[in-house]
Amino acid sequence: EKWTWLAESIRDGLAGTAGGTACVYTTQPLDTTKVKMQTYPSQYRSVLQTLLKTYRTEGFRGLYAGSIPAVLANIGESASAFLAYGRISLVMQKITGVKSHDDLSLISKTLCGSFSGVCASFILTPTELIKCRLQTQYIKGFTDGTPRTPFKLAWHIVTKEGPLCIMKGWTPTVIREAWGYAFFFGGYEAALMMLNVQPGDDISLWKTAIAGGIGGSSCWGLSYPIDVVKSKVQVTTMSPYAAVLDVYRNGGIRGFFNGLTPCLLRAFPGCGVLFVTVEYTKLGFNTIFLKPELY
């Protein structure tokens, strides 16, 4: 049983790693668009205009600016989130007295998702900080001597701004993750129920993709205003409270939804790809390393 627990932990971490990588490279230009529309709404007003302007001024490379920290962020986030979700699910099973994850109620699965988001926030905050700054460097200009590569930028933040500054934006990040991941996993599990997917069924590519898309869209759609504040905090010197006031002062309630369109355009296919990759990676791992009766 001890070795099964370890193997399942490795499986969940690897599945999250594969899913996070697949998600980034299929949707990174839309993430760049989202961040620019969030932080500089006066210059970037629509999805198409932002994509075209970024391509004209920065080239194809500009659309994938921050992709290395984005991959690291998504690998770290997805690996820790799926690993935590699986392990927290075991704790929830003991608390509720059920025999398997499938027997948990939707509310219990949603709570597992929320706690997994808290775990992911500690890895996600520094990588998102670097990603957001790289994505907006061209707008701010390069005259301040800030490094343009991920690892040099990380070192610059630690040495010039202070070691704790690498975690700048953690407060809005942990709130976003705890709230968002409740709907990420809860939405996914609810969608599987609506699609009549039963425990033990073979993986359905299209049902998994649709359920993942619904989970991802629910997560981002319902946590998006917090993400706007988080991005503002990480690319400026503002506190979370000051960022909230600044967003409202300059854009009203609508300001908290700047960049929502590219975010949702990215969320559905990106999270669909993520969950499909996760489920097939877990299946492959189970087939190779675990006996059928253990899963």
Side-chain angles (χ1 to χ4, degrees), residues 36-66:
K36 288 188 174 184
M37 291 179 69
Q38 284 179 332
T39 51
Y40 297 95
S42 61
Q43 298 182 48
Y44 298 93
R45 298 180 179 276
S46 71
V47 177
L48 184 60
Q49 181 252 351
T50 303
L51 286 169
L52 291 175
K53 185 174 181 179
T54 301
Y55 180 74
R56 288 168 182 164
T57 56
E58 304 173 51
F60 185 76
R61 184 178 179 181
L63 295 172
Y64 279 86

PDB file of all heavy atoms in Angstrom, residues 36-66:
ATOM      1  N   LYS A  36      -1.489  41.586 -21.631  1.00  0.00           N
ATOM      2  CA  LYS A  36      -1.350  42.950 -22.153  1.00  0.00           C
ATOM      3  C   LYS A  36      -2.651  43.728 -22.031  1.00  0.00           C
ATOM      4  O   LYS A  36      -2.652  44.918 -21.698  1.00  0.00           O
ATOM      5  CB  LYS A  36      -0.886  42.903 -23.616  1.00  0.00           C
ATOM      6  CG  LYS A  36       0.564  42.468 -23.765  1.00  0.00           C
ATOM      7  CD  LYS A  36       1.064  42.622 -25.189  1.00  0.00           C
ATOM      8  CE  LYS A  36       2.553  42.328 -25.273  1.00  0.00           C
ATOM      9  NZ  LYS A  36       3.107  42.554 -26.619  1.00  0.00           N
ATOM     10  N   MET A  37      -3.771  43.087 -22.294  1.00  0.00           N
ATOM     11  CA  MET A  37      -5.061  43.759 -22.171  1.00  0.00           C
ATOM     12  C   MET A  37      -5.400  44.058 -20.713  1.00  0.00           C
ATOM     13  O   MET A  37      -6.083  45.037 -20.412  1.00  0.00           O
ATOM     14  CB  MET A  37      -6.161  42.910 -22.816  1.00  0.00           C
ATOM     15  CG  MET A  37      -6.058  42.827 -24.331  1.00  0.00           C
ATOM     16  SD  MET A  37      -7.351  41.809 -25.090  1.00  0.00           S
ATOM     17  CE  MET A  37      -8.805  42.829 -24.786  1.00  0.00           C
ATOM     18  N   GLN A  38      -4.917  43.224 -19.802  1.00  0.00           N
ATOM     19  CA  GLN A  38      -5.154  43.448 -18.369  1.00  0.00           C
ATOM     20  C   GLN A  38      -4.362  44.640 -17.850  1.00  0.00           C
ATOM     21  O   GLN A  38      -4.883  45.471 -17.099  1.00  0.00           O
ATOM     22  CB  GLN A  38      -4.739  42.212 -17.566  1.00  0.00           C
ATOM     23  CG  GLN A  38      -5.705  41.053 -17.639  1.00  0.00           C
ATOM     24  CD  GLN A  38      -5.190  39.863 -16.839  1.00  0.00           C
ATOM     25  OE1 GLN A  38      -3.982  39.685 -16.680  1.00  0.00           O
ATOM     26  NE2 GLN A  38      -6.098  39.049 -16.355  1.00  0.00           N
ATOM     27  N   THR A  39      -3.092  44.706 -18.235  1.00  0.00           N
ATOM     28  CA  THR A  39      -2.189  45.672 -17.620  1.00  0.00           C
ATOM     29  C   THR A  39      -2.084  46.993 -18.376  1.00  0.00           C
ATOM     30  O   THR A  39      -1.788  48.026 -17.776  1.00  0.00           O
ATOM     31  CB  THR A  39      -0.783  45.063 -17.481  1.00  0.00           C
ATOM     32  OG1 THR A  39      -0.364  44.524 -18.737  1.00  0.00           O
ATOM     33  CG2 THR A  39      -0.801  43.928 -16.465  1.00  0.00           C
ATOM     34  N   TYR A  40      -2.345  46.992 -19.682  1.00  0.00           N
ATOM     35  CA  TYR A  40      -2.289  48.215 -20.478  1.00  0.00           C
ATOM     36  C   TYR A  40      -3.531  48.327 -21.363  1.00  0.00           C
ATOM     37  O   TYR A  40      -3.449  48.296 -22.597  1.00  0.00           O
ATOM     38  CB  TYR A  40      -1.010  48.240 -21.330  1.00  0.00           C
ATOM     39  CG  TYR A  40       0.236  48.267 -20.496  1.00  0.00           C
ATOM     40  CD1 TYR A  40       0.913  47.092 -20.174  1.00  0.00           C
ATOM     41  CD2 TYR A  40       0.730  49.467 -19.990  1.00  0.00           C
ATOM     42  CE1 TYR A  40       2.046  47.104 -19.386  1.00  0.00           C
ATOM     43  CE2 TYR A  40       1.883  49.494 -19.198  1.00  0.00           C
ATOM     44  CZ  TYR A  40       2.521  48.314 -18.899  1.00  0.00           C
ATOM     45  OH  TYR A  40       3.655  48.346 -18.115  1.00  0.00           O
ATOM     46  N   PRO A  41      -4.716  48.444 -20.731  1.00  0.00           N
ATOM     47  CA  PRO A  41      -5.974  48.441 -21.492  1.00  0.00           C
ATOM     48  C   PRO A  41      -6.137  49.609 -22.455  1.00  0.00           C
ATOM     49  O   PRO A  41      -6.858  49.498 -23.441  1.00  0.00           O
ATOM     50  CB  PRO A  41      -7.038  48.478 -20.385  1.00  0.00           C
ATOM     51  CG  PRO A  41      -6.346  49.070 -19.210  1.00  0.00           C
ATOM     52  CD  PRO A  41      -4.940  48.566 -19.290  1.00  0.00           C
ATOM     53  N   SER A  42      -5.447  50.728 -22.177  1.00  0.00           N
ATOM     54  CA  SER A  42      -5.570  51.879 -23.072  1.00  0.00           C
ATOM     55  C   SER A  42      -4.848  51.642 -24.398  1.00  0.00           C
ATOM     56  O   SER A  42      -5.205  52.226 -25.423  1.00  0.00           O
ATOM     57  CB  SER A  42      -5.008  53.140 -22.400  1.00  0.00           C
ATOM     58  OG  SER A  42      -3.630  52.967 -22.102  1.00  0.00           O
ATOM     59  N   GLN A  43      -3.837  50.779 -24.407  1.00  0.00           N
ATOM     60  CA  GLN A  43      -3.076  50.493 -25.620  1.00  0.00           C
ATOM     61  C   GLN A  43      -3.563  49.240 -26.342  1.00  0.00           C
ATOM     62  O   GLN A  43      -3.399  49.118 -27.557  1.00  0.00           O
ATOM     63  CB  GLN A  43      -1.595  50.315 -25.273  1.00  0.00           C
ATOM     64  CG  GLN A  43      -0.933  51.546 -24.670  1.00  0.00           C
ATOM     65  CD  GLN A  43       0.531  51.303 -24.392  1.00  0.00           C
ATOM     66  OE1 GLN A  43       1.273  50.794 -25.228  1.00  0.00           O
ATOM     67  NE2 GLN A  43       0.973  51.658 -23.185  1.00  0.00           N
ATOM     68  N   TYR A  44      -4.148  48.315 -25.577  1.00  0.00           N
ATOM     69  CA  TYR A  44      -4.582  47.043 -26.154  1.00  0.00           C
ATOM     70  C   TYR A  44      -6.061  46.836 -25.821  1.00  0.00           C
ATOM     71  O   TYR A  44      -6.414  46.456 -24.713  1.00  0.00           O
ATOM     72  CB  TYR A  44      -3.729  45.897 -25.595  1.00  0.00           C
ATOM     73  CG  TYR A  44      -2.261  46.036 -25.941  1.00  0.00           C
ATOM     74  CD1 TYR A  44      -1.377  46.673 -25.070  1.00  0.00           C
ATOM     75  CD2 TYR A  44      -1.765  45.564 -27.150  1.00  0.00           C
ATOM     76  CE1 TYR A  44      -0.035  46.820 -25.395  1.00  0.00           C
ATOM     77  CE2 TYR A  44      -0.430  45.700 -27.486  1.00  0.00           C
ATOM     78  CZ  TYR A  44       0.436  46.328 -26.608  1.00  0.00           C
ATOM     79  OH  TYR A  44       1.762  46.475 -26.937  1.00  0.00           O
ATOM     80  N   ARG A  45      -6.923  47.083 -26.819  1.00  0.00           N
ATOM     81  CA  ARG A  45      -8.363  47.148 -26.563  1.00  0.00           C
ATOM     82  C   ARG A  45      -9.140  45.921 -27.029  1.00  0.00           C
ATOM     83  O   ARG A  45     -10.266  45.706 -26.609  1.00  0.00           O
ATOM     84  CB  ARG A  45      -8.946  48.399 -27.223  1.00  0.00           C
ATOM     85  CG  ARG A  45      -8.359  49.696 -26.674  1.00  0.00           C
ATOM     86  CD  ARG A  45      -8.954  50.914 -27.361  1.00  0.00           C
ATOM     87  NE  ARG A  45      -8.407  52.157 -26.825  1.00  0.00           N
ATOM     88  CZ  ARG A  45      -8.843  52.767 -25.735  1.00  0.00           C
ATOM     89  NH1 ARG A  45      -9.854  52.252 -25.053  1.00  0.00           N
ATOM     90  NH2 ARG A  45      -8.307  53.890 -25.323  1.00  0.00           N
ATOM     91  N   SER A  46      -8.582  45.140 -27.949  1.00  0.00           N
ATOM     92  CA  SER A  46      -9.295  43.963 -28.433  1.00  0.00           C
ATOM     93  C   SER A  46      -8.309  42.834 -28.688  1.00  0.00           C
ATOM     94  O   SER A  46      -7.092  43.057 -28.778  1.00  0.00           O
ATOM     95  CB  SER A  46     -10.052  44.281 -29.727  1.00  0.00           C
ATOM     96  OG  SER A  46      -9.147  44.459 -30.805  1.00  0.00           O
ATOM     97  N   VAL A  47      -8.832  41.624 -28.812  1.00  0.00           N
ATOM     98  CA  VAL A  47      -7.987  40.452 -29.024  1.00  0.00           C
ATOM     99  C   VAL A  47      -7.229  40.555 -30.340  1.00  0.00           C
ATOM    100  O   VAL A  47      -6.005  40.413 -30.390  1.00  0.00           O
ATOM    101  CB  VAL A  47      -8.837  39.164 -29.010  1.00  0.00           C
ATOM    102  CG1 VAL A  47      -7.962  37.949 -29.314  1.00  0.00           C
ATOM    103  CG2 VAL A  47      -9.529  38.981 -27.667  1.00  0.00           C
ATOM    104  N   LEU A  48      -7.949  40.820 -31.419  1.00  0.00           N
ATOM    105  CA  LEU A  48      -7.314  40.879 -32.734  1.00  0.00           C
ATOM    106  C   LEU A  48      -6.301  42.000 -32.824  1.00  0.00           C
ATOM    107  O   LEU A  48      -5.199  41.821 -33.345  1.00  0.00           O
ATOM    108  CB  LEU A  48      -8.387  41.042 -33.820  1.00  0.00           C
ATOM    109  CG  LEU A  48      -7.881  41.021 -35.269  1.00  0.00           C
ATOM    110  CD1 LEU A  48      -7.189  39.687 -35.566  1.00  0.00           C
ATOM    111  CD2 LEU A  48      -9.048  41.240 -36.233  1.00  0.00           C
ATOM    112  N   GLN A  49      -6.655  43.178 -32.290  1.00  0.00           N
ATOM    113  CA  GLN A  49      -5.736  44.321 -32.333  1.00  0.00           C
ATOM    114  C   GLN A  49      -4.462  44.024 -31.541  1.00  0.00           C
ATOM    115  O   GLN A  49      -3.360  44.366 -31.969  1.00  0.00           O
ATOM    116  CB  GLN A  49      -6.431  45.566 -31.755  1.00  0.00           C
ATOM    117  CG  GLN A  49      -5.562  46.832 -31.779  1.00  0.00           C
ATOM    118  CD  GLN A  49      -5.095  47.229 -30.376  1.00  0.00           C
ATOM    119  OE1 GLN A  49      -5.539  46.673 -29.384  1.00  0.00           O
ATOM    120  NE2 GLN A  49      -4.168  48.174 -30.322  1.00  0.00           N
ATOM    121  N   THR A  50      -4.609  43.354 -30.398  1.00  0.00           N
ATOM    122  CA  THR A  50      -3.450  43.028 -29.565  1.00  0.00           C
ATOM    123  C   THR A  50      -2.559  41.997 -30.258  1.00  0.00           C
ATOM    124  O   THR A  50      -1.326  42.130 -30.267  1.00  0.00           O
ATOM    125  CB  THR A  50      -3.903  42.478 -28.199  1.00  0.00           C
ATOM    126  OG1 THR A  50      -4.741  43.446 -27.564  1.00  0.00           O
ATOM    127  CG2 THR A  50      -2.706  42.194 -27.304  1.00  0.00           C
ATOM    128  N   LEU A  51      -3.163  40.978 -30.848  1.00  0.00           N
ATOM    129  CA  LEU A  51      -2.379  39.965 -31.556  1.00  0.00           C
ATOM    130  C   LEU A  51      -1.612  40.581 -32.724  1.00  0.00           C
ATOM    131  O   LEU A  51      -0.415  40.317 -32.902  1.00  0.00           O
ATOM    132  CB  LEU A  51      -3.303  38.853 -32.057  1.00  0.00           C
ATOM    133  CG  LEU A  51      -3.846  37.874 -31.009  1.00  0.00           C
ATOM    134  CD1 LEU A  51      -4.946  37.008 -31.616  1.00  0.00           C
ATOM    135  CD2 LEU A  51      -2.729  36.997 -30.453  1.00  0.00           C
ATOM    136  N   LEU A  52      -2.306  41.410 -33.514  1.00  0.00           N
ATOM    137  CA  LEU A  52      -1.668  42.027 -34.679  1.00  0.00           C
ATOM    138  C   LEU A  52      -0.581  43.015 -34.269  1.00  0.00           C
ATOM    139  O   LEU A  52       0.507  43.039 -34.864  1.00  0.00           O
ATOM    140  CB  LEU A  52      -2.722  42.734 -35.536  1.00  0.00           C
ATOM    141  CG  LEU A  52      -3.715  41.822 -36.271  1.00  0.00           C
ATOM    142  CD1 LEU A  52      -4.774  42.656 -36.985  1.00  0.00           C
ATOM    143  CD2 LEU A  52      -2.987  40.923 -37.259  1.00  0.00           C
ATOM    144  N   LYS A  53      -0.856  43.832 -33.256  1.00  0.00           N
ATOM    145  CA  LYS A  53       0.124  44.825 -32.804  1.00  0.00           C
ATOM    146  C   LYS A  53       1.360  44.143 -32.229  1.00  0.00           C
ATOM    147  O   LYS A  53       2.492  44.567 -32.482  1.00  0.00           O
ATOM    148  CB  LYS A  53      -0.503  45.740 -31.757  1.00  0.00           C
ATOM    149  CG  LYS A  53       0.410  46.879 -31.307  1.00  0.00           C
ATOM    150  CD  LYS A  53      -0.318  47.839 -30.368  1.00  0.00           C
ATOM    151  CE  LYS A  53       0.603  48.982 -29.952  1.00  0.00           C
ATOM    152  NZ  LYS A  53      -0.092  49.950 -29.058  1.00  0.00           N
ATOM    153  N   THR A  54       1.144  43.070 -31.464  1.00  0.00           N
ATOM    154  CA  THR A  54       2.275  42.332 -30.891  1.00  0.00           C
ATOM    155  C   THR A  54       3.121  41.712 -31.998  1.00  0.00           C
ATOM    156  O   THR A  54       4.356  41.782 -31.964  1.00  0.00           O
ATOM    157  CB  THR A  54       1.769  41.225 -29.941  1.00  0.00           C
ATOM    158  OG1 THR A  54       1.004  41.816 -28.894  1.00  0.00           O
ATOM    159  CG2 THR A  54       2.935  40.452 -29.343  1.00  0.00           C
ATOM    160  N   TYR A  55       2.463  41.140 -33.004  1.00  0.00           N
ATOM    161  CA  TYR A  55       3.194  40.514 -34.108  1.00  0.00           C
ATOM    162  C   TYR A  55       3.975  41.548 -34.917  1.00  0.00           C
ATOM    163  O   TYR A  55       5.129  41.319 -35.293  1.00  0.00           O
ATOM    164  CB  TYR A  55       2.229  39.760 -35.015  1.00  0.00           C
ATOM    165  CG  TYR A  55       2.912  39.087 -36.177  1.00  0.00           C
ATOM    166  CD1 TYR A  55       3.680  37.935 -35.991  1.00  0.00           C
ATOM    167  CD2 TYR A  55       2.825  39.612 -37.467  1.00  0.00           C
ATOM    168  CE1 TYR A  55       4.331  37.328 -37.051  1.00  0.00           C
ATOM    169  CE2 TYR A  55       3.474  39.012 -38.530  1.00  0.00           C
ATOM    170  CZ  TYR A  55       4.223  37.867 -38.318  1.00  0.00           C
ATOM    171  OH  TYR A  55       4.866  37.282 -39.370  1.00  0.00           O
ATOM    172  N   ARG A  56       3.353  42.711 -35.169  1.00  0.00           N
ATOM    173  CA  ARG A  56       4.017  43.750 -35.970  1.00  0.00           C
ATOM    174  C   ARG A  56       5.210  44.369 -35.258  1.00  0.00           C
ATOM    175  O   ARG A  56       6.213  44.690 -35.891  1.00  0.00           O
ATOM    176  CB  ARG A  56       3.011  44.843 -36.325  1.00  0.00           C
ATOM    177  CG  ARG A  56       1.978  44.407 -37.366  1.00  0.00           C
ATOM    178  CD  ARG A  56       0.857  45.420 -37.451  1.00  0.00           C
ATOM    179  NE  ARG A  56      -0.169  45.002 -38.404  1.00  0.00           N
ATOM    180  CZ  ARG A  56      -1.391  45.520 -38.456  1.00  0.00           C
ATOM    181  NH1 ARG A  56      -1.748  46.470 -37.599  1.00  0.00           N
ATOM    182  NH2 ARG A  56      -2.264  45.083 -39.354  1.00  0.00           N
ATOM    183  N   THR A  57       5.099  44.557 -33.944  1.00  0.00           N
ATOM    184  CA  THR A  57       6.166  45.240 -33.200  1.00  0.00           C
ATOM    185  C   THR A  57       7.207  44.286 -32.626  1.00  0.00           C
ATOM    186  O   THR A  57       8.372  44.663 -32.467  1.00  0.00           O
ATOM    187  CB  THR A  57       5.571  46.071 -32.044  1.00  0.00           C
ATOM    188  OG1 THR A  57       4.790  45.220 -31.195  1.00  0.00           O
ATOM    189  CG2 THR A  57       4.689  47.185 -32.581  1.00  0.00           C
ATOM    190  N   GLU A  58       6.799  43.067 -32.308  1.00  0.00           N
ATOM    191  CA  GLU A  58       7.723  42.145 -31.646  1.00  0.00           C
ATOM    192  C   GLU A  58       7.973  40.866 -32.431  1.00  0.00           C
ATOM    193  O   GLU A  58       8.824  40.062 -32.050  1.00  0.00           O
ATOM    194  CB  GLU A  58       7.191  41.786 -30.251  1.00  0.00           C
ATOM    195  CG  GLU A  58       6.933  43.004 -29.366  1.00  0.00           C
ATOM    196  CD  GLU A  58       6.255  42.620 -28.064  1.00  0.00           C
ATOM    197  OE1 GLU A  58       6.761  41.698 -27.383  1.00  0.00           O
ATOM    198  OE2 GLU A  58       5.224  43.233 -27.726  1.00  0.00           O
ATOM    199  N   GLY A  59       7.191  40.669 -33.503  1.00  0.00           N
ATOM    200  CA  GLY A  59       7.354  39.461 -34.291  1.00  0.00           C
ATOM    201  C   GLY A  59       6.678  38.249 -33.660  1.00  0.00           C
ATOM    202  O   GLY A  59       6.031  38.343 -32.619  1.00  0.00           O
ATOM    203  N   PHE A  60       6.850  37.099 -34.330  1.00  0.00           N
ATOM    204  CA  PHE A  60       6.247  35.863 -33.835  1.00  0.00           C
ATOM    205  C   PHE A  60       6.750  35.518 -32.441  1.00  0.00           C
ATOM    206  O   PHE A  60       6.005  35.012 -31.600  1.00  0.00           O
ATOM    207  CB  PHE A  60       6.584  34.718 -34.801  1.00  0.00           C
ATOM    208  CG  PHE A  60       5.929  33.412 -34.467  1.00  0.00           C
ATOM    209  CD1 PHE A  60       4.586  33.197 -34.732  1.00  0.00           C
ATOM    210  CD2 PHE A  60       6.654  32.397 -33.858  1.00  0.00           C
ATOM    211  CE1 PHE A  60       3.976  31.991 -34.411  1.00  0.00           C
ATOM    212  CE2 PHE A  60       6.059  31.182 -33.538  1.00  0.00           C
ATOM    213  CZ  PHE A  60       4.712  30.986 -33.809  1.00  0.00           C
ATOM    214  N   ARG A  61       8.006  35.862 -32.178  1.00  0.00           N
ATOM    215  CA  ARG A  61       8.598  35.584 -30.870  1.00  0.00           C
ATOM    216  C   ARG A  61       7.846  36.326 -29.765  1.00  0.00           C
ATOM    217  O   ARG A  61       7.737  35.830 -28.649  1.00  0.00           O
ATOM    218  CB  ARG A  61      10.067  35.987 -30.887  1.00  0.00           C
ATOM    219  CG  ARG A  61      10.826  35.655 -29.616  1.00  0.00           C
ATOM    220  CD  ARG A  61      12.294  36.039 -29.746  1.00  0.00           C
ATOM    221  NE  ARG A  61      13.033  35.742 -28.539  1.00  0.00           N
ATOM    222  CZ  ARG A  61      14.325  35.995 -28.375  1.00  0.00           C
ATOM    223  NH1 ARG A  61      15.009  36.535 -29.389  1.00  0.00           N
ATOM    224  NH2 ARG A  61      14.931  35.703 -27.250  1.00  0.00           N
ATOM    225  N   GLY A  62       7.345  37.525 -30.091  1.00  0.00           N
ATOM    226  CA  GLY A  62       6.622  38.308 -29.098  1.00  0.00           C
ATOM    227  C   GLY A  62       5.346  37.641 -28.632  1.00  0.00           C
ATOM    228  O   GLY A  62       4.916  37.817 -27.486  1.00  0.00           O
ATOM    229  N   LEU A  63       4.717  36.878 -29.538  1.00  0.00           N
ATOM    230  CA  LEU A  63       3.486  36.168 -29.164  1.00  0.00           C
ATOM    231  C   LEU A  63       3.769  35.076 -28.147  1.00  0.00           C
ATOM    232  O   LEU A  63       2.892  34.686 -27.376  1.00  0.00           O
ATOM    233  CB  LEU A  63       2.832  35.558 -30.413  1.00  0.00           C
ATOM    234  CG  LEU A  63       2.310  36.561 -31.452  1.00  0.00           C
ATOM    235  CD1 LEU A  63       1.868  35.825 -32.706  1.00  0.00           C
ATOM    236  CD2 LEU A  63       1.157  37.369 -30.875  1.00  0.00           C
ATOM    237  N   TYR A  64       5.010  34.569 -28.171  1.00  0.00           N
ATOM    238  CA  TYR A  64       5.401  33.525 -27.222  1.00  0.00           C
ATOM    239  C   TYR A  64       6.346  34.057 -26.147  1.00  0.00           C
ATOM    240  O   TYR A  64       7.042  33.281 -25.497  1.00  0.00           O
ATOM    241  CB  TYR A  64       6.052  32.360 -27.965  1.00  0.00           C
ATOM    242  CG  TYR A  64       5.035  31.431 -28.585  1.00  0.00           C
ATOM    243  CD1 TYR A  64       4.505  31.690 -29.846  1.00  0.00           C
ATOM    244  CD2 TYR A  64       4.570  30.310 -27.905  1.00  0.00           C
ATOM    245  CE1 TYR A  64       3.540  30.861 -30.411  1.00  0.00           C
ATOM    246  CE2 TYR A  64       3.623  29.467 -28.452  1.00  0.00           C
ATOM    247  CZ  TYR A  64       3.113  29.746 -29.705  1.00  0.00           C
ATOM    248  OH  TYR A  64       2.155  28.919 -30.261  1.00  0.00           O
ATOM    249  N   ALA A  65       6.339  35.394 -25.952  1.00  0.00           N
ATOM    250  CA  ALA A  65       7.152  35.986 -24.891  1.00  0.00           C
ATOM    251  C   ALA A  65       6.718  35.397 -23.555  1.00  0.00           C
ATOM    252  O   ALA A  65       5.532  35.279 -23.261  1.00  0.00           O
ATOM    253  CB  ALA A  65       6.982  37.500 -24.873  1.00  0.00           C
ATOM    254  N   GLY A  66       7.698  35.036 -22.752  1.00  0.00           N
ATOM    255  CA  GLY A  66       7.373  34.463 -21.450  1.00  0.00           C
ATOM    256  C   GLY A  66       6.954  33.015 -21.505  1.00  0.00           C
ATOM    257  O   GLY A  66       6.431  32.476 -20.524  1.00  0.00           O
TER     258      GLY A  66
END
